[in-house]
């Protein structure tokens, strides 16, 4: 059982919040998934879970790492970006940060 490690996620980047010319909606974040470059490729990721992992100062439950969970809701534009909603809105310091797009739940 000592073979290669299996990664259950695809990395991605937080591009920002969904916004118009003058208004921004903080409850919807825009995510660019690595290796996805067109709108049809995003259909596989719809409904997948997203984890934003960050490090806090104080230790809770034996770890300084915390996670905010979210879900891919729909595609955004034609370049392969997706919209995601998180259980708690992502903090502004997370913009430009990395997320993990989990490969579950599966709809294959």
């Amino acid at each position: 059982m000592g073979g290669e490690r299996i990664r259950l996620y695809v990395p991605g980047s937080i591009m920002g919040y969904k916004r118009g010319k003058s208004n921004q909606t903080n409850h919807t974040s825009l995510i660019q998934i690595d290796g996805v470059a067109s709108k049809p490729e995003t259909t596989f990721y719809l409904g997948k879970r997203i984890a934003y992992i960050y490090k806090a100062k104080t230790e809770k439950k034996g770890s300084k790492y915390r996670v905010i969970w979210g879900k891919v809701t729909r595609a955004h534009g034609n370049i392969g970006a997706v919209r995601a909603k998180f259980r708690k809105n992502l903090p502004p310091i997370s913009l430009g940060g990395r997320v993990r797009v989990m490969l579950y739940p599966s709809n294959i």
Side-chain angles (χ1 to χ4, degrees):
M1 296 296 264
E4 41 185 274
R5 295 177 50 176
I6 298 172
R7 192 178 68 195
L8 292 177
Y9 66 90
V10 176
S13 301
I14 302 171
M15 299 187 338
Y17 301 118
K18 179 183 152 217
R19 58 168 299 147
K21 185 177 178 185
S22 58
N23 296 330
Q24 123 179 332
T25 55
N26 300 338
H27 57 77
T28 303
S29 301
L30 304 178
I31 311 290
Q32 180 66 54
I33 303 170
D34 293 359
V36 178
S38 67
K39 195 172 199 172
E41 294 175 19
T42 62
T43 56
F44 171 78
Y45 294 98
L46 299 183
K48 299 285 191 274
R49 295 278 170 201
I50 301 179
Y52 170 65
I53 300 170
Y54 62 99
K55 192 174 184 182
K57 191 173 185 180
T58 57
E59 189 171 313
K60 289 194 177 183
K61 298 182 183 175
S63 175
K64 289 188 176 183
Y65 290 97
R66 312 228 176 111
V67 63
I68 300 176
W69 287 97
K71 190 195 315 188
V72 176
T73 55
R74 57 174 289 184
H76 180 85
N78 295 316
I79 61 164
V82 294
R83 296 182 195 176
K85 287 198 172 216
F86 287 81
R87 290 187 184 156
K88 288 189 160 193
N89 295 346
L90 290 180
I93 200 165
S94 71
L95 301 182
R98 304 292 284 167
V99 293
R100 295 179 177 185
V101 182
M102 302 300 177
L103 296 178
Y104 55 83
S106 176
N107 52 12
I108 296 176

